Amino acid sequence: MIDEERSLIKSWESCKCVKKSGARLECKRYEKELEPLEWSLLKSFSILEVENSERLKRLKKFAELCKTGNACYSIEETVENQFTRESIIFRANETSLDSSTTSKDGSEVKGSDPKAKTMLSRGLLDRILDTKKKLVFPANSFSAQIQKDVLALNFLQTMENIGSCMKIPIVIPYNRVSDLVYLYQLDVIQDETMWSPYVESEFMRTLFSHGFITIAVKANLMGVEKVILLPKMHDLRCCMKPQDIIVTRKVKRISRKLKITINTSFQEVIKGISDSHGEDWMYPEMQLEFMKMHYLNGMYKTNERKWSNGTNKMESKTDHENNETFQKNEKTVVSVEVWHEDKLVAGEIGFVNGSMYTSISGFHRMNNAGNFQLVALAAILYFNGFKLWDLGMEIPYKIDMGAKTVPRRKFIKQLNELKNTKVKFEIPAKYAGKSNGEELISDFLKAVGGDKVAAGGPNKPGSGQK
């Protein structure tokens, strides 16, 4: 699936020639009555202010266009046609665009014509709601965002129609997540779990960057099944300094047989997690979004205010705060792999958050391979200058390996101090390309004190949920 997504990204970029030279879009007209798209549901469900971002403005515009008449335009869903349709609906004011639509009767309508925008919008809405024929758009395109919005609003509308409600607060991409974290610091919000109908990579990245560990669950309402996010800000967070890990003799022995790598087989690690635990919370929808975060790095959209370093005070707004910007970033969603004779025997995915690293989920297929992975990862974090290792919820094996629980307010304070300190997440050059992890573990023990070697130690389960 990710190969298809990456191909679409490339194809979308190749459509720049369409924008420059103009394009003709063949459409089929049909009549259909559609339920109004009630974007205001976002406000009625949300406990936080709904930010009037550029994305929300597009959603409002799209919802308004879809209200007019019953006429719709359908198109052949090629990447080029999708690009042209998006250009007509959302970008037709750009002077470089010279698109037009040709209806079945042969009449031509300019892309700037309100009728073309309306009928194409209604056709797109109808097509998105037809979940039997799933549409795939390039990541971060306006069309992909509208698709996420439509499906989320459809779910919220179903909840409202049947009088259903969640007992935990909702969070959506139109909320300012930093405000939510501040409310946690003030103990205004007590629930450690939130929920969201938006399963999308950039929103998940924002949640992780603010300290939420984000998993998922499947919900079914009146036959409408949807994967929903469950971002968690635990009351007690299990954390440790990398150098505090307890190393067992078994790990030292097995380090001669195992090799550790970083970001070489992210997709295989995701598969290993899914195979080891079943889908659990790592549904195909979540797998795809994690792979987008990993492989499509550099398309990170941000409009969040930053926290002043180590304080509860946020930096003041700027004139450009609500503008959408795309910037290249270091890879934040990463994988750690452990190999035995060219076979993947353990691994995990994690999130790099400044000089704090968060373990998200992992697996192992060989005795002590998981324990080796933890120690080798601790060594890598230590040598790269990471100050804190976030292990998520408290589980006995984490305490056994040297972690301690941290109250939520203290965890948030530590995160705010560390998230803007950039360090590299890589295997130090001295150990890169080594056939095993023996030297890495040995040097780590010398650096932090060899007295940390213990006879026993944690028996790491393949953690499928944090």
Side-chain angles (χ1 to χ4, degrees), residues 238-281:
C238 213
C239 300
M240 66 186 300
K241 295 178 180 178
Q243 60 267 35
D244 289 340
I245 193 168
I246 296 172
V247 184
T248 68
R249 294 193 181 98
K250 288 182 179 179
V251 168
K252 288 193 69 178
R253 286 196 295 268
I254 203 171
S255 67
R256 303 163 192 163
K257 301 178 181 179
L258 301 179
K259 177 182 178 180
I260 190 164
T261 58
I262 287 175
N263 292 332
T264 64
S265 300
F266 188 88
Q267 191 169 356
E268 286 188 54
V269 173
I270 289 286
K271 185 177 185 302
I273 293 169
S274 179
D275 289 347
S276 295
H277 311 294
E279 284 190 350
D280 193 13
W281 64 269

Short mmCIF file of all heavy atoms in Angstrom, two decimals, residues 238-281:
data_model
loop_
_atom_site.label_atom_id
_atom_site.label_comp_id
_atom_site.label_asym_id
_atom_site.label_seq_id
_atom_site.Cartn_x
_atom_site.Cartn_y
_atom_site.Cartn_z
N CYS A 238 6.07 6.00 32.22
CA CYS A 238 7.26 5.20 32.53
C CYS A 238 8.44 5.75 31.72
O CYS A 238 8.42 5.73 30.49
CB CYS A 238 6.98 3.74 32.15
SG CYS A 238 7.79 2.55 33.21
N CYS A 239 9.45 6.26 32.41
CA CYS A 239 10.58 6.91 31.74
C CYS A 239 11.90 6.51 32.40
O CYS A 239 11.92 6.03 33.53
CB CYS A 239 10.45 8.44 31.80
SG CYS A 239 8.98 9.11 31.02
N MET A 240 12.98 6.74 31.68
CA MET A 240 14.30 6.50 32.24
C MET A 240 15.35 7.24 31.43
O MET A 240 15.12 7.62 30.28
CB MET A 240 14.63 5.01 32.26
CG MET A 240 14.77 4.37 30.88
SD MET A 240 14.97 2.57 30.94
CE MET A 240 16.46 2.42 31.89
N LYS A 241 16.50 7.45 32.04
CA LYS A 241 17.66 7.90 31.29
C LYS A 241 18.27 6.67 30.63
O LYS A 241 18.32 5.60 31.25
CB LYS A 241 18.67 8.57 32.23
CG LYS A 241 18.18 9.85 32.87
CD LYS A 241 19.23 10.41 33.81
CE LYS A 241 18.74 11.70 34.46
NZ LYS A 241 19.74 12.24 35.42
N PRO A 242 18.74 6.78 29.39
CA PRO A 242 19.28 5.59 28.70
C PRO A 242 20.37 4.88 29.50
O PRO A 242 20.44 3.64 29.50
CB PRO A 242 19.84 6.17 27.40
CG PRO A 242 19.02 7.39 27.15
CD PRO A 242 18.74 7.96 28.51
N GLN A 243 21.20 5.64 30.22
CA GLN A 243 22.31 5.03 30.95
C GLN A 243 21.87 4.27 32.20
O GLN A 243 22.69 3.58 32.83
CB GLN A 243 23.34 6.10 31.34
CG GLN A 243 22.82 7.22 32.22
CD GLN A 243 22.36 8.42 31.42
OE1 GLN A 243 21.82 8.26 30.33
NE2 GLN A 243 22.59 9.60 31.96
N ASP A 244 20.59 4.37 32.56
CA ASP A 244 20.11 3.69 33.76
C ASP A 244 19.60 2.28 33.49
O ASP A 244 19.13 1.60 34.41
CB ASP A 244 18.99 4.51 34.42
CG ASP A 244 19.52 5.78 35.07
OD1 ASP A 244 20.73 5.85 35.33
OD2 ASP A 244 18.71 6.71 35.29
N ILE A 245 19.67 1.82 32.26
CA ILE A 245 19.14 0.50 31.93
C ILE A 245 19.97 -0.59 32.61
O ILE A 245 21.19 -0.47 32.78
CB ILE A 245 19.11 0.28 30.41
CG1 ILE A 245 18.26 -0.96 30.07
CG2 ILE A 245 20.51 0.16 29.83
CD1 ILE A 245 17.94 -1.10 28.59
N ILE A 246 19.29 -1.64 33.03
CA ILE A 246 19.95 -2.80 33.65
C ILE A 246 20.27 -3.82 32.56
O ILE A 246 19.39 -4.22 31.80
CB ILE A 246 19.05 -3.43 34.73
CG1 ILE A 246 18.83 -2.42 35.87
CG2 ILE A 246 19.65 -4.72 35.25
CD1 ILE A 246 17.81 -2.85 36.89
N VAL A 247 21.52 -4.21 32.47
CA VAL A 247 21.99 -5.12 31.43
C VAL A 247 22.24 -6.50 32.04
O VAL A 247 22.90 -6.61 33.08
CB VAL A 247 23.29 -4.60 30.78
CG1 VAL A 247 23.71 -5.51 29.63
CG2 VAL A 247 23.09 -3.17 30.29
N THR A 248 21.73 -7.53 31.41
CA THR A 248 21.92 -8.89 31.91
C THR A 248 23.09 -9.57 31.20
O THR A 248 23.49 -9.18 30.11
CB THR A 248 20.65 -9.74 31.69
OG1 THR A 248 20.47 -9.94 30.29
CG2 THR A 248 19.42 -9.05 32.27
N ARG A 249 23.60 -10.62 31.83
CA ARG A 249 24.69 -11.38 31.22
C ARG A 249 24.23 -12.04 29.92
O ARG A 249 25.00 -12.20 28.98
CB ARG A 249 25.20 -12.45 32.20
CG ARG A 249 25.88 -11.86 33.44
CD ARG A 249 26.63 -12.93 34.22
NE ARG A 249 27.25 -12.38 35.41
CZ ARG A 249 26.72 -12.46 36.63
NH1 ARG A 249 25.56 -13.08 36.81
NH2 ARG A 249 27.34 -11.92 37.67
N LYS A 250 22.94 -12.42 29.88
CA LYS A 250 22.41 -13.04 28.66
C LYS A 250 22.50 -12.08 27.48
O LYS A 250 22.79 -12.49 26.36
CB LYS A 250 20.96 -13.47 28.88
CG LYS A 250 20.79 -14.67 29.79
CD LYS A 250 19.32 -15.04 29.92
CE LYS A 250 19.14 -16.26 30.81
NZ LYS A 250 17.70 -16.62 30.96
N VAL A 251 22.24 -10.81 27.75
CA VAL A 251 22.33 -9.81 26.68
C VAL A 251 23.77 -9.68 26.20
O VAL A 251 24.03 -9.58 24.99
CB VAL A 251 21.78 -8.45 27.15
CG1 VAL A 251 22.13 -7.35 26.16
CG2 VAL A 251 20.27 -8.52 27.33
N LYS A 252 24.72 -9.68 27.13
CA LYS A 252 26.12 -9.58 26.73
C LYS A 252 26.52 -10.77 25.86
O LYS A 252 27.22 -10.61 24.86
CB LYS A 252 27.02 -9.53 27.97
CG LYS A 252 26.95 -8.22 28.74
CD LYS A 252 28.08 -8.11 29.75
CE LYS A 252 29.42 -7.96 29.07
NZ LYS A 252 30.52 -7.82 30.05
N ARG A 253 26.04 -11.96 26.23
CA ARG A 253 26.41 -13.15 25.46
C ARG A 253 25.77 -13.14 24.07
O ARG A 253 26.43 -13.42 23.07
CB ARG A 253 26.00 -14.42 26.22
CG ARG A 253 26.88 -14.74 27.42
CD ARG A 253 26.67 -16.17 27.89
NE ARG A 253 25.32 -16.38 28.38
CZ ARG A 253 24.95 -16.25 29.66
NH1 ARG A 253 25.85 -15.88 30.56
NH2 ARG A 253 23.71 -16.47 30.04
N ILE A 254 24.49 -12.78 24.02
CA ILE A 254 23.79 -12.86 22.74
C ILE A 254 24.18 -11.72 21.81
O ILE A 254 23.95 -11.78 20.60
CB ILE A 254 22.26 -12.88 22.96
CG1 ILE A 254 21.56 -13.51 21.74
CG2 ILE A 254 21.71 -11.48 23.21
CD1 ILE A 254 20.09 -13.79 21.95
N SER A 255 24.81 -10.67 22.36
CA SER A 255 25.22 -9.53 21.52
C SER A 255 26.23 -9.95 20.46
O SER A 255 26.40 -9.25 19.46
CB SER A 255 25.80 -8.42 22.39
OG SER A 255 27.02 -8.81 22.98
N ARG A 256 26.91 -11.10 20.67
CA ARG A 256 27.87 -11.59 19.68
C ARG A 256 27.17 -12.15 18.44
O ARG A 256 27.79 -12.33 17.40
CB ARG A 256 28.75 -12.68 20.30
CG ARG A 256 29.50 -12.23 21.54
CD ARG A 256 30.01 -13.41 22.33
NE ARG A 256 30.48 -13.02 23.65
CZ ARG A 256 30.68 -13.87 24.66
NH1 ARG A 256 30.45 -15.17 24.48
NH2 ARG A 256 31.10 -13.43 25.83
N LYS A 257 25.88 -12.46 18.59
CA LYS A 257 25.14 -13.11 17.50
C LYS A 257 24.16 -12.18 16.79
O LYS A 257 23.65 -12.52 15.73
CB LYS A 257 24.35 -14.31 18.05
CG LYS A 257 25.20 -15.37 18.73
CD LYS A 257 24.31 -16.48 19.28
CE LYS A 257 25.12 -17.55 19.99
NZ LYS A 257 24.25 -18.63 20.54
N LEU A 258 23.89 -11.03 17.40
CA LEU A 258 22.84 -10.15 16.88
C LEU A 258 23.40 -8.82 16.39
O LEU A 258 24.39 -8.32 16.92
CB LEU A 258 21.78 -9.89 17.96
CG LEU A 258 21.08 -11.13 18.52
CD1 LEU A 258 20.08 -10.72 19.60
CD2 LEU A 258 20.38 -11.92 17.43
N LYS A 259 22.73 -8.27 15.41
CA LYS A 259 23.12 -6.99 14.82
C LYS A 259 21.94 -6.03 14.90
O LYS A 259 20.79 -6.42 14.70
CB LYS A 259 23.52 -7.20 13.35
CG LYS A 259 23.88 -5.92 12.60
CD LYS A 259 24.21 -6.24 11.15
CE LYS A 259 24.52 -4.97 10.36
NZ LYS A 259 24.85 -5.27 8.94
N ILE A 260 22.23 -4.76 15.18
CA ILE A 260 21.16 -3.75 15.26
C ILE A 260 21.32 -2.74 14.14
O ILE A 260 22.44 -2.35 13.79
CB ILE A 260 21.15 -3.05 16.64
CG1 ILE A 260 19.89 -2.19 16.77
CG2 ILE A 260 22.42 -2.23 16.86
CD1 ILE A 260 19.58 -1.77 18.19
N THR A 261 20.20 -2.34 13.55
CA THR A 261 20.19 -1.31 12.51
C THR A 261 19.07 -0.32 12.80
O THR A 261 18.19 -0.58 13.63
CB THR A 261 19.98 -1.92 11.10
OG1 THR A 261 18.74 -2.66 11.09
CG2 THR A 261 21.13 -2.83 10.72
N ILE A 262 19.09 0.79 12.10
CA ILE A 262 18.08 1.84 12.28
C ILE A 262 17.54 2.25 10.91
O ILE A 262 18.30 2.48 9.97
CB ILE A 262 18.68 3.07 12.99
CG1 ILE A 262 18.91 2.75 14.47
CG2 ILE A 262 17.77 4.28 12.87
CD1 ILE A 262 19.60 3.86 15.23
N ASN A 263 16.22 2.29 10.82
CA ASN A 263 15.53 2.80 9.62
C ASN A 263 15.91 2.08 8.33
O ASN A 263 15.95 2.68 7.26
CB ASN A 263 15.80 4.30 9.45
CG ASN A 263 15.15 5.13 10.53
OD1 ASN A 263 14.13 4.76 11.10
ND2 ASN A 263 15.76 6.28 10.83
N THR A 264 16.17 0.78 8.43
CA THR A 264 16.46 0.02 7.20
C THR A 264 15.27 -0.81 6.73
O THR A 264 15.20 -1.16 5.56
CB THR A 264 17.66 -0.93 7.41
OG1 THR A 264 17.33 -1.91 8.40
CG2 THR A 264 18.90 -0.16 7.85
N SER A 265 14.33 -1.11 7.64
CA SER A 265 13.21 -2.00 7.27
C SER A 265 11.95 -1.63 8.04
O SER A 265 11.35 -2.47 8.72
CB SER A 265 13.59 -3.47 7.54
OG SER A 265 14.72 -3.85 6.80
N PHE A 266 11.55 -0.38 7.93
CA PHE A 266 10.39 0.09 8.69
C PHE A 266 9.15 -0.74 8.39
O PHE A 266 8.41 -1.14 9.29
CB PHE A 266 10.12 1.57 8.36
CG PHE A 266 9.07 2.20 9.23
CD1 PHE A 266 9.40 2.78 10.44
CD2 PHE A 266 7.74 2.21 8.83
CE1 PHE A 266 8.43 3.37 11.25
CE2 PHE A 266 6.76 2.79 9.63
CZ PHE A 266 7.11 3.38 10.84
N GLN A 267 8.93 -1.02 7.12
CA GLN A 267 7.73 -1.76 6.74
C GLN A 267 7.74 -3.17 7.33
O GLN A 267 6.71 -3.68 7.76
CB GLN A 267 7.62 -1.82 5.21
CG GLN A 267 6.28 -2.34 4.71
CD GLN A 267 6.11 -2.13 3.23
OE1 GLN A 267 6.95 -1.53 2.57
NE2 GLN A 267 5.00 -2.61 2.69
N GLU A 268 8.91 -3.80 7.38
CA GLU A 268 9.01 -5.14 7.97
C GLU A 268 8.76 -5.11 9.47
O GLU A 268 8.19 -6.04 10.03
CB GLU A 268 10.39 -5.74 7.68
CG GLU A 268 10.59 -6.18 6.24
CD GLU A 268 11.89 -6.94 6.06
OE1 GLU A 268 12.12 -7.92 6.79
OE2 GLU A 268 12.70 -6.53 5.20
N VAL A 269 9.20 -4.04 10.13
CA VAL A 269 8.94 -3.92 11.56
C VAL A 269 7.45 -3.76 11.82
O VAL A 269 6.89 -4.39 12.73
CB VAL A 269 9.74 -2.73 12.16
CG1 VAL A 269 9.34 -2.51 13.63
CG2 VAL A 269 11.24 -2.99 12.07
N ILE A 270 6.79 -2.94 11.03
CA ILE A 270 5.33 -2.79 11.15
C ILE A 270 4.65 -4.15 10.98
O ILE A 270 3.75 -4.52 11.74
CB ILE A 270 4.79 -1.79 10.11
CG1 ILE A 270 5.21 -0.35 10.47
CG2 ILE A 270 3.28 -1.88 10.00
CD1 ILE A 270 4.46 0.26 11.62
N LYS A 271 5.10 -4.90 9.99
CA LYS A 271 4.53 -6.23 9.74
C LYS A 271 4.81 -7.16 10.92
O LYS A 271 3.95 -7.95 11.34
CB LYS A 271 5.09 -6.83 8.46
CG LYS A 271 4.46 -8.16 8.05
CD LYS A 271 5.01 -8.65 6.72
CE LYS A 271 4.29 -9.92 6.26
NZ LYS A 271 4.36 -11.03 7.23
N GLY A 272 6.02 -7.07 11.48
CA GLY A 272 6.36 -7.90 12.63
C GLY A 272 5.48 -7.60 13.83
O GLY A 272 5.04 -8.52 14.54
N ILE A 273 5.18 -6.33 14.06
CA ILE A 273 4.29 -5.94 15.16
C ILE A 273 2.90 -6.50 14.93
O ILE A 273 2.28 -7.08 15.82
CB ILE A 273 4.25 -4.40 15.30
CG1 ILE A 273 5.61 -3.87 15.75
CG2 ILE A 273 3.16 -3.98 16.28
CD1 ILE A 273 5.74 -2.37 15.66
N SER A 274 2.41 -6.35 13.70
CA SER A 274 1.07 -6.84 13.37
C SER A 274 1.00 -8.36 13.46
O SER A 274 0.04 -8.93 14.00
CB SER A 274 0.69 -6.37 11.97
OG SER A 274 -0.59 -6.84 11.61
N ASP A 275 2.03 -9.05 12.95
CA ASP A 275 2.04 -10.52 12.99
C ASP A 275 2.11 -11.04 14.42
O ASP A 275 1.50 -12.07 14.75
CB ASP A 275 3.23 -11.06 12.19
CG ASP A 275 3.07 -10.87 10.69
OD1 ASP A 275 1.94 -10.55 10.25
OD2 ASP A 275 4.07 -11.02 9.96
N SER A 276 2.86 -10.36 15.26
CA SER A 276 3.08 -10.84 16.63
C SER A 276 1.86 -10.64 17.52
O SER A 276 1.59 -11.45 18.40
CB SER A 276 4.29 -10.14 17.26
OG SER A 276 5.47 -10.47 16.57
N HIS A 277 1.13 -9.55 17.31
CA HIS A 277 0.04 -9.21 18.21
C HIS A 277 -1.34 -9.26 17.57
O HIS A 277 -2.33 -8.98 18.23
CB HIS A 277 0.26 -7.79 18.77
CG HIS A 277 1.64 -7.57 19.30
ND1 HIS A 277 2.12 -8.23 20.40
CD2 HIS A 277 2.65 -6.79 18.87
CE1 HIS A 277 3.37 -7.85 20.63
NE2 HIS A 277 3.72 -6.98 19.72
N GLY A 278 -1.39 -9.64 16.29
CA GLY A 278 -2.64 -9.49 15.58
C GLY A 278 -2.83 -8.00 15.31
O GLY A 278 -1.97 -7.18 15.62
N GLU A 279 -3.95 -7.65 14.75
CA GLU A 279 -4.16 -6.23 14.45
C GLU A 279 -4.23 -5.40 15.73
O GLU A 279 -3.77 -4.27 15.77
CB GLU A 279 -5.44 -6.04 13.62
CG GLU A 279 -5.26 -6.44 12.17
CD GLU A 279 -6.44 -6.02 11.31
OE1 GLU A 279 -7.47 -5.60 11.88
OE2 GLU A 279 -6.34 -6.12 10.09
N ASP A 280 -4.81 -5.98 16.82
CA ASP A 280 -4.87 -5.27 18.10
C ASP A 280 -5.28 -3.83 17.83
O ASP A 280 -6.42 -3.54 17.51
CB ASP A 280 -3.53 -5.39 18.81
CG ASP A 280 -3.60 -4.95 20.26
OD1 ASP A 280 -4.73 -4.79 20.76
OD2 ASP A 280 -2.56 -4.76 20.89
N TRP A 281 -4.35 -2.87 17.93
CA TRP A 281 -4.64 -1.48 17.55
C TRP A 281 -3.93 -1.08 16.27
O TRP A 281 -4.21 -0.02 15.71
CB TRP A 281 -4.26 -0.53 18.68
CG TRP A 281 -2.78 -0.49 18.99
CD1 TRP A 281 -2.12 -1.27 19.89
CD2 TRP A 281 -1.80 0.36 18.40
NE1 TRP A 281 -0.78 -0.96 19.90
CE2 TRP A 281 -0.55 0.05 19.00
CE3 TRP A 281 -1.84 1.36 17.43
CZ2 TRP A 281 0.63 0.69 18.65
CZ3 TRP A 281 -0.66 2.00 17.09
CH2 TRP A 281 0.56 1.66 17.70
#
